[in-house]
Amino acid sequence: MGTPPPNLMPVPEHAPLSFGQEALWFLSRLAPASRAYHLCGAARLLHPCDAATGEAVGRAFAALAEHHPALRTTFGQQESGAPEQRAGSGPGLVFSHVWVETEEQLAASLEQELDAPFDLEQGPLVRVGLITAAGETVLWLAAHHLVAD
């Protein structure tokens, strides 16, 4: 029997942005296709993941996003035009597990996943996944810098 999760402080539904977040929000809106504010990482796993393992990894990340409102946060504008955080209002992170045939396809698929733009208003602002090819699996993560501030 595990330890129950701690009681979390309530998160306001709408909150102002910090000074740093406001600057990032503004710059991100100027160049929405830019990857400048993507936080990305990838790691090769020691063993390839089958479908059942991939599903378990996806459930683990979904539980993480459910527990942490920042991973479900989106950013929009109030009627006054001021930016705001909408904590916990987004769809959560997106998880995918894809299979490709070759190492070249793996590299291309990884680049495509890490380069995909984020929609600050609709989310999700965190994407994670597995790409399996030729007997190996890569775990990757891409998040917009705004959810990390």
Side-chain angles (χ1 to χ4, degrees):
M1 188 164 166
T3 305
N7 291 329
L8 300 175
M9 297 291 295
V11 177
E13 187 175 325
H14 301 277
L17 278 62
S18 69
F19 179 76
Q21 283 178 312
E22 194 166 331
L24 281 175
W25 176 81
F26 178 76
L27 292 170
S28 293
R29 289 173 49 94
L30 287 176
S34 172
R35 192 177 157 199
Y37 302 108
H38 290 198
L39 301 174
C40 302
R44 289 188 188 273
L45 305 181
L46 294 176
H47 302 284
C49 289
D50 59 16
T53 304
E55 288 174 16
V57 171
R59 285 192 307 272
F61 277 106
L64 186 67
E66 185 177 321
H67 190 69
H68 295 284
L71 299 177
R72 301 186 315 274
T73 295
T74 57
F75 296 83
Q77 286 182 278
Q78 301 171 2
E79 286 185 23
S80 67
E84 69 178 354
Q85 296 181 61
R86 297 173 182 153
S89 67
L93 59 83
V94 168
F95 177 82
S96 66
H97 187 181
V98 297
W99 286 263
V100 295
E101 296 295 321
T102 67
E103 182 72 26
E104 292 78 21
Q105 290 172 328
L106 188 150
S109 183
L110 178 61
E111 184 175 343
Q112 180 181 5
E113 294 290 359
L114 298 180
D115 283 347
F118 290 100
D119 183 330
L120 298 179
E121 290 195 36
Q122 299 299 313
L125 300 182
V126 179
R127 298 186 299 260
V128 64
L130 298 168
I131 305 171
T132 300
E136 67 179 339
T137 297
V138 171
L139 170 67
W140 61 269
L141 180 131
H144 195 283
H145 200 296
L146 278 169
V147 297
D149 273 357

